[in-house]
Short mmCIF file of all heavy atoms in Angstrom, two decimals:
data_model
loop_
_atom_site.label_atom_id
_atom_site.label_comp_id
_atom_site.label_asym_id
_atom_site.label_seq_id
_atom_site.Cartn_x
_atom_site.Cartn_y
_atom_site.Cartn_z
N ALA A 1311 30.32 34.02 -7.16
CA ALA A 1311 31.24 34.74 -7.97
C ALA A 1311 31.19 34.34 -9.43
O ALA A 1311 31.18 35.20 -10.34
CB ALA A 1311 32.69 34.47 -7.45
N ARG A 1312 31.03 33.06 -9.66
CA ARG A 1312 30.88 32.55 -11.06
C ARG A 1312 29.59 33.00 -11.72
O ARG A 1312 29.56 33.39 -12.91
CB ARG A 1312 30.99 31.03 -11.09
CG ARG A 1312 32.33 30.55 -10.79
CD ARG A 1312 32.42 29.03 -10.82
NE ARG A 1312 33.78 28.59 -10.46
CZ ARG A 1312 34.04 27.62 -9.59
NH1 ARG A 1312 33.06 26.95 -9.02
NH2 ARG A 1312 35.26 27.32 -9.36
N LEU A 1313 28.47 32.98 -10.93
CA LEU A 1313 27.19 33.46 -11.44
C LEU A 1313 27.24 34.95 -11.74
O LEU A 1313 26.76 35.43 -12.79
CB LEU A 1313 26.10 33.15 -10.43
CG LEU A 1313 25.73 31.68 -10.25
CD1 LEU A 1313 24.83 31.52 -9.02
CD2 LEU A 1313 25.02 31.17 -11.50
N VAL A 1314 27.91 35.71 -10.87
CA VAL A 1314 28.02 37.17 -11.05
C VAL A 1314 28.94 37.41 -12.27
O VAL A 1314 28.59 38.35 -13.07
CB VAL A 1314 28.53 37.86 -9.78
CG1 VAL A 1314 28.92 39.29 -10.08
CG2 VAL A 1314 27.49 37.76 -8.65
N ASP A 1315 29.94 36.64 -12.46
CA ASP A 1315 30.79 36.81 -13.65
C ASP A 1315 29.94 36.70 -14.92
O ASP A 1315 30.09 37.49 -15.88
CB ASP A 1315 31.90 35.73 -13.69
CG ASP A 1315 33.00 35.94 -12.69
OD1 ASP A 1315 33.11 37.07 -12.16
OD2 ASP A 1315 33.79 35.00 -12.42
N ARG A 1316 29.09 35.71 -14.95
CA ARG A 1316 28.23 35.48 -16.15
C ARG A 1316 27.22 36.65 -16.34
O ARG A 1316 26.99 37.13 -17.42
CB ARG A 1316 27.49 34.18 -16.02
CG ARG A 1316 28.43 33.00 -16.21
CD ARG A 1316 27.62 31.65 -16.22
NE ARG A 1316 28.55 30.58 -15.96
CZ ARG A 1316 28.50 29.77 -14.91
NH1 ARG A 1316 27.63 29.96 -13.97
NH2 ARG A 1316 29.42 28.84 -14.73
N LEU A 1317 26.67 37.10 -15.17
CA LEU A 1317 25.71 38.22 -15.25
C LEU A 1317 26.42 39.52 -15.64
O LEU A 1317 25.88 40.29 -16.40
CB LEU A 1317 25.03 38.39 -13.94
CG LEU A 1317 24.01 37.25 -13.54
CD1 LEU A 1317 23.57 37.42 -12.09
CD2 LEU A 1317 22.85 37.24 -14.49
N GLN A 1318 27.65 39.68 -15.19
CA GLN A 1318 28.42 40.83 -15.56
C GLN A 1318 28.78 40.80 -17.04
O GLN A 1318 28.70 41.81 -17.75
CB GLN A 1318 29.67 40.91 -14.70
CG GLN A 1318 30.45 42.20 -14.87
CD GLN A 1318 31.62 42.34 -13.88
OE1 GLN A 1318 32.09 41.33 -13.35
NE2 GLN A 1318 32.00 43.55 -13.58
N ALA A 1319 29.10 39.64 -17.55
CA ALA A 1319 29.45 39.46 -18.94
C ALA A 1319 28.28 39.80 -19.85
O ALA A 1319 28.44 40.32 -21.00
CB ALA A 1319 29.92 38.06 -19.28
N ARG A 1320 27.06 39.57 -19.38
CA ARG A 1320 25.87 39.92 -20.14
C ARG A 1320 25.44 41.40 -19.94
O ARG A 1320 24.48 41.82 -20.54
CB ARG A 1320 24.72 39.00 -19.71
CG ARG A 1320 25.02 37.57 -20.21
CD ARG A 1320 23.90 36.65 -20.09
NE ARG A 1320 22.76 37.08 -20.92
CZ ARG A 1320 21.72 36.27 -21.19
NH1 ARG A 1320 21.66 35.07 -20.67
NH2 ARG A 1320 20.74 36.69 -21.96
N GLY A 1321 26.14 42.10 -19.09
CA GLY A 1321 25.84 43.52 -18.86
C GLY A 1321 24.75 43.81 -17.87
O GLY A 1321 24.19 44.86 -17.82
N PHE A 1322 24.37 42.76 -17.06
CA PHE A 1322 23.26 42.92 -16.12
C PHE A 1322 23.74 43.47 -14.76
O PHE A 1322 22.94 44.01 -14.01
CB PHE A 1322 22.54 41.59 -15.93
CG PHE A 1322 21.84 41.07 -17.17
CD1 PHE A 1322 21.66 39.76 -17.37
CD2 PHE A 1322 21.39 41.96 -18.11
CE1 PHE A 1322 20.99 39.25 -18.46
CE2 PHE A 1322 20.71 41.50 -19.26
CZ PHE A 1322 20.58 40.13 -19.42
N VAL A 1323 24.94 43.17 -14.36
CA VAL A 1323 25.45 43.43 -13.04
C VAL A 1323 26.83 44.08 -13.15
O VAL A 1323 27.59 43.82 -14.07
CB VAL A 1323 25.58 42.11 -12.22
CG1 VAL A 1323 26.27 42.36 -10.90
CG2 VAL A 1323 24.24 41.48 -12.00
N GLU A 1324 27.09 44.95 -12.20
CA GLU A 1324 28.44 45.53 -12.12
C GLU A 1324 28.93 45.42 -10.68
O GLU A 1324 28.15 45.50 -9.71
CB GLU A 1324 28.50 46.93 -12.63
CG GLU A 1324 27.78 47.97 -11.77
CD GLU A 1324 27.84 49.38 -12.38
OE1 GLU A 1324 28.65 49.57 -13.27
OE2 GLU A 1324 27.06 50.23 -11.93
N ARG A 1325 30.26 45.30 -10.56
CA ARG A 1325 30.92 45.30 -9.22
C ARG A 1325 31.49 46.71 -9.07
O ARG A 1325 32.14 47.23 -9.92
CB ARG A 1325 32.03 44.29 -9.20
CG ARG A 1325 31.57 42.83 -9.28
CD ARG A 1325 32.78 41.90 -9.41
NE ARG A 1325 32.47 40.51 -9.14
CZ ARG A 1325 32.36 39.61 -10.18
NH1 ARG A 1325 32.56 39.94 -11.42
NH2 ARG A 1325 32.10 38.35 -9.84
N ARG A 1326 31.18 47.23 -7.85
CA ARG A 1326 31.70 48.57 -7.51
C ARG A 1326 32.45 48.42 -6.17
O ARG A 1326 32.04 47.73 -5.26
CB ARG A 1326 30.60 49.62 -7.33
CG ARG A 1326 29.79 49.87 -8.56
CD ARG A 1326 28.73 50.89 -8.24
NE ARG A 1326 27.66 50.90 -9.22
CZ ARG A 1326 26.45 51.42 -9.05
NH1 ARG A 1326 26.16 51.97 -7.84
NH2 ARG A 1326 25.57 51.37 -9.96
N HIS A 1327 33.55 49.19 -6.03
CA HIS A 1327 34.29 49.18 -4.82
C HIS A 1327 33.40 49.81 -3.70
O HIS A 1327 32.65 50.75 -3.89
CB HIS A 1327 35.58 50.05 -4.94
CG HIS A 1327 36.69 49.35 -5.58
ND1 HIS A 1327 37.33 48.24 -5.05
CD2 HIS A 1327 37.27 49.56 -6.79
CE1 HIS A 1327 38.26 47.82 -5.89
NE2 HIS A 1327 38.26 48.57 -6.95
N ASP A 1328 33.55 49.19 -2.52
CA ASP A 1328 32.86 49.72 -1.31
C ASP A 1328 33.52 51.04 -0.96
O ASP A 1328 34.76 51.22 -1.02
CB ASP A 1328 33.05 48.70 -0.18
CG ASP A 1328 32.33 49.12 1.08
OD1 ASP A 1328 32.92 49.90 1.86
OD2 ASP A 1328 31.22 48.65 1.31
N ALA A 1329 32.71 51.99 -0.59
CA ALA A 1329 33.22 53.32 -0.21
C ALA A 1329 34.15 53.32 0.98
O ALA A 1329 35.03 54.13 1.09
CB ALA A 1329 32.06 54.27 0.04
N ASN A 1330 33.95 52.34 1.91
CA ASN A 1330 34.76 52.31 3.13
C ASN A 1330 35.86 51.28 3.10
O ASN A 1330 36.76 51.34 3.94
CB ASN A 1330 33.83 52.03 4.33
CG ASN A 1330 32.79 53.11 4.49
OD1 ASN A 1330 33.07 54.24 4.34
ND2 ASN A 1330 31.53 52.68 4.72
N ASP A 1331 35.85 50.34 2.16
CA ASP A 1331 36.81 49.27 2.13
C ASP A 1331 37.06 48.91 0.68
O ASP A 1331 36.24 48.17 0.09
CB ASP A 1331 36.35 48.09 2.96
CG ASP A 1331 37.39 47.01 3.13
OD1 ASP A 1331 38.41 47.03 2.37
OD2 ASP A 1331 37.20 46.12 3.97
N ARG A 1332 38.19 49.36 0.16
CA ARG A 1332 38.47 49.11 -1.29
C ARG A 1332 38.64 47.67 -1.62
O ARG A 1332 38.65 47.26 -2.80
CB ARG A 1332 39.76 49.88 -1.71
CG ARG A 1332 39.62 51.39 -1.53
CD ARG A 1332 38.81 52.10 -2.61
NE ARG A 1332 39.45 51.97 -3.89
CZ ARG A 1332 38.82 52.23 -4.98
NH1 ARG A 1332 37.56 52.63 -5.00
NH2 ARG A 1332 39.41 52.14 -6.13
N ARG A 1333 38.80 46.79 -0.61
CA ARG A 1333 38.93 45.34 -0.90
C ARG A 1333 37.58 44.71 -1.18
O ARG A 1333 37.54 43.57 -1.68
CB ARG A 1333 39.61 44.63 0.33
CG ARG A 1333 41.00 45.11 0.59
CD ARG A 1333 41.47 44.60 1.96
NE ARG A 1333 40.61 45.14 2.95
CZ ARG A 1333 40.67 44.83 4.26
NH1 ARG A 1333 41.52 43.90 4.64
NH2 ARG A 1333 39.86 45.35 5.13
N VAL A 1334 36.55 45.40 -0.80
CA VAL A 1334 35.15 44.83 -0.91
C VAL A 1334 34.49 45.30 -2.19
O VAL A 1334 34.57 46.49 -2.46
CB VAL A 1334 34.33 45.17 0.35
CG1 VAL A 1334 32.87 44.73 0.20
CG2 VAL A 1334 34.97 44.58 1.58
N TRP A 1335 33.85 44.37 -2.87
CA TRP A 1335 33.07 44.75 -4.07
C TRP A 1335 31.58 44.70 -3.70
O TRP A 1335 31.15 43.77 -3.11
CB TRP A 1335 33.32 43.77 -5.19
CG TRP A 1335 34.71 43.84 -5.77
CD1 TRP A 1335 35.80 43.10 -5.38
CD2 TRP A 1335 35.20 44.76 -6.77
NE1 TRP A 1335 36.90 43.48 -6.10
CE2 TRP A 1335 36.53 44.49 -6.97
CE3 TRP A 1335 34.60 45.78 -7.47
CZ2 TRP A 1335 37.34 45.18 -7.91
CZ3 TRP A 1335 35.34 46.44 -8.41
CH2 TRP A 1335 36.71 46.18 -8.59
N ARG A 1336 30.88 45.71 -4.13
CA ARG A 1336 29.42 45.77 -3.97
C ARG A 1336 28.76 45.48 -5.32
O ARG A 1336 29.27 45.93 -6.34
CB ARG A 1336 29.00 47.14 -3.46
CG ARG A 1336 29.52 47.51 -2.10
CD ARG A 1336 28.60 47.04 -1.07
NE ARG A 1336 29.22 47.10 0.27
CZ ARG A 1336 28.72 46.50 1.28
NH1 ARG A 1336 27.66 45.72 1.15
NH2 ARG A 1336 29.31 46.59 2.48
N LEU A 1337 27.70 44.70 -5.31
CA LEU A 1337 27.06 44.31 -6.55
C LEU A 1337 25.85 45.22 -6.79
O LEU A 1337 25.01 45.45 -5.93
CB LEU A 1337 26.63 42.81 -6.45
CG LEU A 1337 27.77 41.87 -6.17
CD1 LEU A 1337 27.17 40.48 -5.90
CD2 LEU A 1337 28.75 41.86 -7.28
N HIS A 1338 25.73 45.71 -8.08
CA HIS A 1338 24.65 46.60 -8.44
C HIS A 1338 24.13 46.17 -9.81
O HIS A 1338 24.91 45.75 -10.67
CB HIS A 1338 25.12 48.04 -8.55
CG HIS A 1338 25.55 48.59 -7.21
ND1 HIS A 1338 24.68 49.17 -6.33
CD2 HIS A 1338 26.76 48.56 -6.58
CE1 HIS A 1338 25.33 49.54 -5.23
NE2 HIS A 1338 26.60 49.20 -5.38
#
Side-chain angles (χ1 to χ4, degrees):
R1312 289 181 183 134
L1313 290 167
V1314 169
D1315 286 345
R1316 289 185 198 113
L1317 291 170
Q1318 189 172 22
R1320 292 192 62 167
F1322 295 151
V1323 173
E1324 68 181 346
R1325 292 174 168 104
R1326 297 181 198 159
H1327 281 291
D1328 182 275
N1330 299 318
D1331 187 344
R1332 299 284 294 166
R1333 298 168 296 176
V1334 175
W1335 292 95
R1336 298 270 169 198
L1337 303 173
H1338 296 271

